[in-house]
Each structure stands twice: as C-alpha cells, then as structure tokens.
Amino acid sequence: MSGLNIGVLAIQGDVAENSFATKMALEENGIEGVVREIKSPEQIPELNGLIIPGGESTVIGQLSLVNGSLKQIKEKISSGMPVLGTCAGLILLSRKAKDRVVGEMDQPLLDLLDVKVERNAFGRQRDSFEAEISMEKIGIPKFKGIFIRAPSIVEIGKNVEIISKFNEKIVAVKQGNIVGTSFHPELTNDLSLHKYFVKLVNSKNA
Amino acid sequence: MIPLSGDVVDSKGIISEKIESYNIKRGTSTLKRGFAHMLKNGVVMDVTTVEQAQIAEDSGAVAVMVLDKLPSDVRKAGGVARTASIRIIQEIMDAVTIPVMAKCRIGHVYEAMVLQETNVDMIDESEVLTPADESHHIWKWDFTTPFVNGARSLGEALRRIEEGAAMIRTKGEPGTGNVAEAVTHIKNVNDELRRIRSIYDSGDEQDLVRMARELRVSYSMLEETASLGRLPVVNFAAGGISTPADAAYLMTLGCDGIFVGSGIFKAEDAKERAQAIVLATTFWEEPDKVKEAQKMIDERQSMLGLDTKNLELRMQERGSTA
C-alpha cells in the first residue's frame, strides 16, 4: 500500500478544518497518506478512514441520503473502516436522536454507533462553551473541548466505551472502529484526537 | 484556513463561569466564529411563521432567519421596519431543531439585547430594517451571542469584523428577487482582496498602511486579511437570490453559503424551491445536479422581481459609510 486515503465527508459544515487537522496529524505522525473531501458516493469504496464533520446533522443526513453516500458509508463502516464523527458527525453515527426541546427526531441516521443522543443538550448558541476535558482512556489526559450547540450521549449499548464526560454527561465514545465526540477537536490547535484517529486508521490498514 | 481567534481583550461578551469543578467560557471568538463555520455550504432561509420555518427545516435549511415581514413586503409596506415579534421567534425556536437567527436594526443596541435574552442563535444587524443609528453600528464584542453583518465592499466587511461580527454576508439588494447587486458586491470584495494580497506579496508595507487608511480599518486587520487572501470570517451571499442557479452561481464566486430572503416564500412553489436551492448550494460544483435542481422549480412561479436601477429605497446603502 502506498499510503492511507482518509476522507472528510464534504456535504456541509466545517470540512476544511477537519481536512487540515487530518493532514497535519498524518504529517506529525509520520504516516504517509492523503486527505480527500468526499463529495460523491463513488469516492467512498477506496477510503481507509472517514471523518464526518460538524455542521447541521439534519442537512448532512438528508443530502447524503439524496446523493447515495449514506448507504455507501454505512456499508464501508460496517465492514470495519474507522470513522470519526464530531458533533453533527456523532449524531449521524448514532442509533437514535432526540432534541432537547422538540423531542424525538425522525432524521436520516447511520445507525452504527449503539447510542442515543440528545441534540442541543447543553442549550442554544449562547450556552455554547469551552472547557478542559479529559480523554485518559485513549491517552489524551487534557483536551480543550469546544462545545457548539453540542449534543450529549444519553444511552449507550454494552459494546460502547465511554471516553470522556463533562459534568456527568457523556461527550465522547468509542465502539470498535467508531469514534464520536460532542465537541469540535478540529476547532482547536490540538491535534491529539486527529492523531489518535489517524493511528487507528493506520493500524487497521497495516 | 479561516482563523478562529480575534478576541478583543476584556470583551464584555465573554463570560467565565464555574460549573462543578469545570472552569468554562462562553461567548469567545472561537465559539462565535466556530458557530458560523458549522453553517458553511448551507442555506439560511428567511421565514415569518412556524409553518415556513418547518418547511425550511424539512427542505434542508441550515438555519432560519425570523422576520416580521419578508424583505419584499418591507419594501412595499414602507414605514419603519423593526425586529420581529419575540413571541413568534420563540414559537419558531420551540418548533425547529436547526439554529434560529433574527434581525435587529443597525445600531439598535437594545433590540440586539432583547434578541440575546430571547436566546436566538445569531443576530443579524441588518439593513433590511430601518437603521437606528447610521453612524455607529453595534459594538458586537459586548455580546455573547454571535452577529452577522452585511457588507458590499472589503472596507465595510473589515470594519464590521473589527466591531465584533463573527460572520459577513453580502448586502445585495434585499427583497428585489434580483441577484445582480449581490454578484457585484462579492466581486468587489474579491477584487479588493486580490489587490491587498498582491501588495502583501510585494512586501510594500507603506502601501499596506495606505490601504488600511483608505479602507478605514486597523493595520493589523488589513495585514491579517491580506495574508489570508480572504475574509477572516465565514462569508455568505445574500440579497435577491431566487433560483437554484442563482445560489450555485454565487457559490462559484467563492461564497461559503447562501441566505435566501424573499426568494423562497414569495414564490408560489416555496417547498420545491427551498429543496432545490439547498441541492444547488450543496452540489454547486456539479452542473448536472444544479440542472436537476433548477428543473424542480417553475420560473412562472418565481417572484416577479425588481430592476435594481430604479429603486426608491436602496437598502444596501444603509450604514455603509460607517
């Protein structure tokens, strides 16, 4: 193999930030690879890893359903491709979503990560916050959490490992090849989570 | 990469709190500008009722903007246009899960305060409403809620960012269904960006200082922008967008996303049009998909629109000299 092919789902949201962080993470880890923005389903089968960025989960979900990406992504992750979902990405990976105010949601989801999420769990934009959190379990003791209209995880299945909590709320989880966070690592200068993910992709493709 | 920093030290809008053992901060530049980043490649739709907001959400809008009247009705009604009814804003906030924005008058600090207390996700200090203070815009660093401002030139955009705007949109000419002014404004900004970028590349600091004076912005703001070669915040297109092709065209000019005002809910085929404009914005790089989107609308049902040359009221001029 001549290096990894990592995609960032480029339907809507902060795609550029995730691409940049992943490129830097590859470089700092000394792992060979390319980062591609994924706009059409044909690009998905060749991927070794995928990042689903922040944005609006309803929009990313609906439009990746329309262009056929959702089905392809689901197949690929089910066959073991590592995936990282941040904020909206976490929601899309989940089994079920509800909104704090509106209630149960009927939006397109990948239904791969055995968790139920609560959207806008910390409130609206004015309540968005920065806080130091810890992801000790994956070797990141200190991390700046950027929570923007963030979801939280309210129910987890037995195969889901909790990576981080903020004030008793679950904000990062891992289930095999799937990693999801409520917060936005791509909006910090700290590459540790992207480096962890790139290593995970590398180990699955060794 | 668009920078996320830009805090004014001691900005009143930044709130430090302690929750249990956590020290948290709200209203930082990263959180405000970061919010705008989450909207990228999306469509923000103007709505006046809960029903319209739900249509917008179902069609794939990335956020809704609540107004009392759509811009074309503001234009027709004349008189003073003010911020929307708080009750309607709240009803919409309870009905949709996507972000809800609302407009306040240019310079009207207290309309903005009221919107912040209402908990809207972003405030648009907008020329669609009647300005309260033509010479001073709101000092937006004092707010925890992020702001978006309109601009039709680089100087105007940078002055708004210096006042704390977390996002910029072109002004265009609202409520006309005519995209010509939005096209002109984004091209103006792009031309001026290319100009300062070339001065920056030439290393002529004196000329950069001259440009900062000409645009009436600080040297540091100008230098940062010149080194980036783009605006230091997310930049959307707005004003007169009515069709999927309009939206896709503005995306090709380098906009990060689209605001649609009267174009959707003043058309007879609002639902299909909303979906079509979202599709065209998302897949703007694929002409066949934009064609499919354009096929979803019926041109005979587009809003009639106005020639922007002979308007009595040019909303874009409001607040532009400040």
Side-chain angles (χ1 to χ4, degrees):
Chain A
M1 263 196 63
S2 64
L4 301 175
N5 182 358
I6 301 181
V8 179
L9 185 63
I11 298 283
Q12 190 272 319
D14 69 339
V15 177
E17 289 70 19
N18 271 295
S19 303
F20 181 75
T22 312
K23 274 178 203 153
M24 296 292 290
L26 280 169
E27 213 177 291
E28 287 199 13
N29 278 335
I31 298 172
E32 219 178 294
V34 290
V35 181
R36 293 213 168 89
E37 298 192 352
I38 304 302
K39 296 188 169 155
S40 73
E42 296 81 56
Q43 295 169 283
I44 295 162
E46 302 142 29
L47 294 177
N48 303 118
L50 177 72
I51 294 179
I52 308 179
E56 274 309 310
S57 62
T58 50
V59 180
I60 303 175
Q62 279 179 40
L63 287 151
S64 24
L65 181 68
V66 167
N67 86 341
S69 293
L70 209 62
K71 190 168 162 273
Q72 291 271 3
I73 292 171
K74 185 160 176 163
E75 278 170 20
K76 193 74 188 170
I77 300 172
S78 304
S79 73
M81 175 185 69
V83 60
L84 167 66
T86 69
C87 196
L90 163 71
I91 297 169
L92 280 169
L93 288 167
S94 73
R95 166 173 61 77
K96 184 93 190 116
K98 66 165 182 171
D99 182 81
R100 195 172 71 112
V101 177
V102 178
E104 298 294 327
M105 294 295 295
D106 178 27
Q107 65 183 97
L109 299 173
L110 285 162
D111 186 16
L112 290 164
L113 178 60
D114 190 9
V115 300
K116 182 175 180 181
V117 296
E118 182 180 49
R119 292 181 56 199
N120 305 315
F122 300 91
R124 307 193 73 95
Q125 174 59 19
R126 187 153 68 127
D127 309 305
S128 294
F129 62 97
E130 295 180 12
E132 191 178 279
I133 51 162
S134 168
M135 295 185 278
E136 200 80 65
K137 267 204 185 130
I138 57 168
I140 306 172
K142 262 186 175 182
F143 197 82
K144 187 177 183 181
I146 309 279
F147 294 83
I148 298 179
R149 287 172 47 93
S152 77
I153 295 150
V154 288
E155 281 171 26
I156 59 166
K158 61 178 188 316
N159 295 322
V160 179
E161 202 182 340
I162 298 171
I163 295 178
S164 183
K165 280 187 174 185
F166 170 81
N167 198 20
E168 301 309 308
K169 284 187 169 157
I170 303 168
V171 293
V173 290
K174 181 171 186 288
Q175 176 190 319
N177 54 331
I178 305 172
V179 183
T181 69
S182 300
F183 47 89
H184 293 280
E186 72 278 13
L187 296 185
T188 66
N189 295 322
D190 188 341
L191 294 172
S192 5
L193 190 66
H194 282 83
K195 278 162 87 171
Y196 167 80
F197 179 67
V198 163
K199 279 184 200 154
L200 181 70
V201 176
N202 199 36
S203 69
K204 299 266 175 186
N205 290 278
Chain B
M1 290 295 300
I2 314 176
L4 290 149
S5 61
D7 287 36
V8 159
V9 184
D10 295 331
S11 155
K12 280 192 216 159
I14 299 176
I15 295 169
S16 297
E17 266 178 66
K18 202 164 162 89
I19 295 184
E20 302 294 325
S21 62
Y22 298 92
N23 291 309
I24 68 159
K25 274 187 179 170
R26 304 189 200 276
T28 63
S29 208
T30 303
L31 293 167
K32 290 174 170 179
R33 292 185 184 188
F35 169 74
H37 281 248
M38 298 311 145
L39 305 174
K40 283 193 290 186
N41 224 31
V43 180
V44 182
M45 298 182 192
D46 277 6
V47 298
T48 58
T49 61
V50 169
E51 194 197 355
Q52 287 180 355
Q54 277 164 339
I55 292 175
E57 181 175 48
D58 292 343
S59 309
V62 80
V64 291
M65 173 80 70
V66 185
L67 291 93
D68 176 40
K69 297 184 206 68
L70 290 173
S72 71
D73 291 328
V74 171
R75 193 175 279 288
K76 261 185 237 148
V80 178
R82 311 178 183 90
T83 197
S85 308
I86 300 300
R87 190 177 50 81
I88 303 223
I89 298 173
Q90 271 169 341
E91 280 173 16
I92 291 176
M93 282 176 16
D94 290 341
V96 298
T97 63
I98 54 177
V100 175
M101 307 181 181
K103 289 180 190 286
C104 72
R105 286 180 257 177
I106 291 174
H108 203 313
V109 175
Y110 235 98
E111 268 190 0
M113 291 277 201
V114 166
L115 291 177
Q116 173 165 276
E117 289 307 311
T118 306
N119 239 339
V120 300
D121 297 292
M122 185 171 242
I123 300 169
D124 183 3
E125 186 180 17
S126 175
E127 67 283 2
V128 168
L129 308 184
T130 312
D133 185 344
E134 286 267 17
S135 55
H136 298 83
H137 281 69
I138 296 168
W139 187 248
K140 292 162 274 281
W141 297 111
D142 285 349
F143 288 76
T144 308
T145 303
F147 277 75
V148 55
N149 274 86
R152 49 181 199 162
S153 67
L154 180 61
E156 209 179 333
L158 296 182
R159 292 197 295 276
R160 300 295 85 82
I161 296 166
E162 281 192 323
E163 294 156 0
M167 178 174 175
I168 292 293
R169 52 170 178 74
T170 61
K171 283 179 163 173
E173 190 52 47
T176 58
N178 188 338
V179 81
E181 297 294 305
V183 169
T184 308
H185 296 166
I186 192 69
K187 285 190 173 173
N188 279 348
V189 171
N190 287 344
D191 284 349
E192 289 169 307
L193 282 168
R194 272 195 288 271
R195 197 163 140 223
I196 62 168
R197 175 76 208 195
S198 71
I199 299 172
Y200 180 83
D201 287 341
S202 76
D204 187 343
E205 275 183 46
Q206 187 182 12
D207 211 22
L208 269 190
V209 171
R210 190 186 58 76
M211 281 304 294
R213 287 176 182 157
E214 193 181 301
L215 301 179
R216 292 182 287 130
V217 297
S218 69
Y219 179 77
S220 61
M221 171 63 74
L222 189 88
E223 193 192 26
E224 183 195 17
T225 309
S227 74
L228 287 168
R230 62 153 292 147
L231 288 183
V233 299
V234 169
N235 182 26
F236 271 40
I241 295 158
S242 308
T243 70
D246 283 351
Y249 177 36
L250 282 154
M251 292 301 284
T252 67
L253 298 178
C255 296
D256 297 313
I258 303 288
F259 280 91
V260 187
S262 316
I264 291 172
F265 290 104
K266 274 289 151 189
E268 304 291 324
D269 54 356
K271 205 168 179 175
E272 295 74 19
R273 192 169 294 251
Q275 285 171 2
I277 291 177
V278 170
L279 281 172
T281 305
T282 309
F283 302 116
W284 63 272
E285 286 160 294
E286 301 170 63
D288 58 324
K289 288 219 170 79
V290 177
K291 184 212 79 183
E292 287 305 316
Q294 187 77 6
K295 224 167 115 184
M296 289 165 67
I297 65 154
D298 181 353
E299 180 50 25
R300 286 166 298 187
Q301 300 190 339
S302 294
M303 67 182 284
L304 185 56
L306 296 166
D307 182 353
T308 52
K309 294 281 177 305
N310 312 309
L311 294 173
E312 265 177 45
L313 172 61
R314 282 171 66 81
M315 290 176 174
Q316 57 175 284
E317 281 160 13
R318 291 169 160 173
S320 60
T321 54

